[in-house]
């Protein structure tokens, strides 16, 4: 949207053909930076409360740099780049244009993600608990934890507390009771979210992982088990989708009202 478009909309408001609210929404919807290879939503934060996040897989380092530069130029304070491998992150840091635009860049190899800018102070109502069934689920847990922190949440991570040794989970009963939202991550038979759901008084977001032997079917077995959970209050995201689980958990943790 250029100056002439904005002036025309302002004239429509003056002529009572458009309300001030409609003007604001029109401007927000038109706030797109066309880079040719990407339509960058520069007003997503104003519209939805959470600014644009960049999915790194399938994009070149130059494309990622261009998208990040457009977001920073539009006033976005920080940018999360998910599914970013170490090799591409190294190339990205070596691009002069990216270094000039995003001097504060941190690569989190465990989460396969990069962060431009500083992580914010927590503003959520309570704590998000991330719990995994096994150590092999760590990459998905790291993605979830980093995303939740990027979205201004307090996070605690409990690793390797699956149902094969239920006492490992029960040791963290206080953490489960205190949590505002729980992200339960598991492969194999995917039973962990059902057990957690039977102990927790808060929403549980289940994340199936592609960890397991052949019959795990790349995470489909865990996914179907979680969808069929008999525990109330359990919702399910896609296989290995730590980002999606953390995003949903953050929305819940930032709902108006005091912590439970």
């Amino acid at each position: 949207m250029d100056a002439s478009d904005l002036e025309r909309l302002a004239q429509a408001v003056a002529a009572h053909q458009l309300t001030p609210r409609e003007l604001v929404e029109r401007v927000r919807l038109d706030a797109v930076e066309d880079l040719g290879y990407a339509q960058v939503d520069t007003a997503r934060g104003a519209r939805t409360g959470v600014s644009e996040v960049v999915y790194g897989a399938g994009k070149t380092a130059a494309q990622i740099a261009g998208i990040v530069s457009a977001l920073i130029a539009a006033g976005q304070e920080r940018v999360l780049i998910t599914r970013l491998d170490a090799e591409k992150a190294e190339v990205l840091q070596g691009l002069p244009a990216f270094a000039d635009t995003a001097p504060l860049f941190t690569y989190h190899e465990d989460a396969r993600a990069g962060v431009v800018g500083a992580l914010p102070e927590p503003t959520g109502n309570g704590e998000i608990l991330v719990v995994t069934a096994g150590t092999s689920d760590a990459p998905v847990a790291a993605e979830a934890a980093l995303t939740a922190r990027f979205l201004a949440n307090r996070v605690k991570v409990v690793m390797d507390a699956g149902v094969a040794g239920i006492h490992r989970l029960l040791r963290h009963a206080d953490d489960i009771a205190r949590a505002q939202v729980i992200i339960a991550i598991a492969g194999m038979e995917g039973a962990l979210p059902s057990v957690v759901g039977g102990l927790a008084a808060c929403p549980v977001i289940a994340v199936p992982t592609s960890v397991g032997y052949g019959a795990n079917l790349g995470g489909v077995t865990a996914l179907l088990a979680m969808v069929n959970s008999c525990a109330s209050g359990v919702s399910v995201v896609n296989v290995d989708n730590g980002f999606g689980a953390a995003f949903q958990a953050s929305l819940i943790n930032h709902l108006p009202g005091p912590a439970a």
Side-chain angles (χ1 to χ4, degrees):
M1 176 178 292
D2 57 26
S4 62
D5 293 327
L6 189 56
E7 183 177 356
R8 187 164 54 252
L9 289 174
Q11 290 171 347
V13 173
H16 303 290
Q17 298 170 343
L18 198 69
T19 68
R21 168 54 59 183
E22 289 172 331
L23 169 63
V24 171
E25 291 304 318
R26 188 78 62 83
V27 171
R28 286 178 176 176
L29 290 174
D30 286 343
V32 174
E33 182 75 19
D34 187 354
L35 301 180
Y37 54 84
Q39 302 284 324
V40 184
D41 188 350
T42 57
R44 186 185 295 264
R47 194 174 63 253
T48 69
V50 179
S51 298
E52 183 73 281
V53 173
V54 181
Y55 180 72
K59 295 183 178 70
T60 67
Q63 289 172 336
I64 294 171
I67 295 169
V68 170
S69 296
L71 293 171
I72 297 298
Q76 189 165 318
E77 291 184 34
R78 59 186 65 88
V79 182
L80 176 64
I81 308 167
T82 65
R83 299 303 165 97
L84 182 66
D85 60 62
E87 183 179 352
K88 194 178 296 182
E90 185 176 355
V91 174
L92 189 61
Q93 289 174 296
L95 296 176
F98 181 79
D100 292 341
T101 306
L104 181 55
F105 173 75
T106 306
Y107 181 61
H108 300 260
E109 187 171 7
D110 59 341
R112 299 168 296 178
V115 175
V116 176
L119 293 177
E121 291 296 319
T123 57
N125 294 322
E127 183 175 82
I128 295 176
L129 176 64
V130 178
V131 57
T132 77
T135 306
S136 298
D137 300 310
V140 179
E143 180 182 68
L146 178 62
T147 300
R149 292 184 176 110
F150 180 86
L151 297 174
N153 297 276
R154 286 190 292 111
V155 180
K156 180 166 184 177
V157 179
V158 171
M159 298 292 297
D160 196 26
V163 299
I166 197 70
H167 56 290
R168 298 175 302 176
L169 179 65
L170 297 178
R171 290 179 62 243
H172 297 279
D174 289 344
D175 296 321
I176 293 171
R178 184 173 62 247
Q180 188 81 350
V181 191
I182 298 174
I183 299 173
I185 303 171
M188 298 293 187
E189 80 289 343
L192 178 65
S194 290
V195 176
V196 173
L199 298 172
C202 65
V204 176
I205 302 173
V207 186
T209 68
S210 51
V211 171
Y213 294 103
N216 173 264
L217 302 177
V220 173
T221 297
L223 172 65
L224 294 177
M226 292 174 181
V227 169
N228 283 282
S229 173
C230 63
S232 302
V234 175
S235 60
V236 187
V237 297
N238 209 343
V239 178
D240 293 337
N241 191 7
F243 167 80
F247 196 102
Q248 185 72 358
S250 179
L251 291 177
I252 295 170
N253 195 35
H254 283 86
L255 288 173

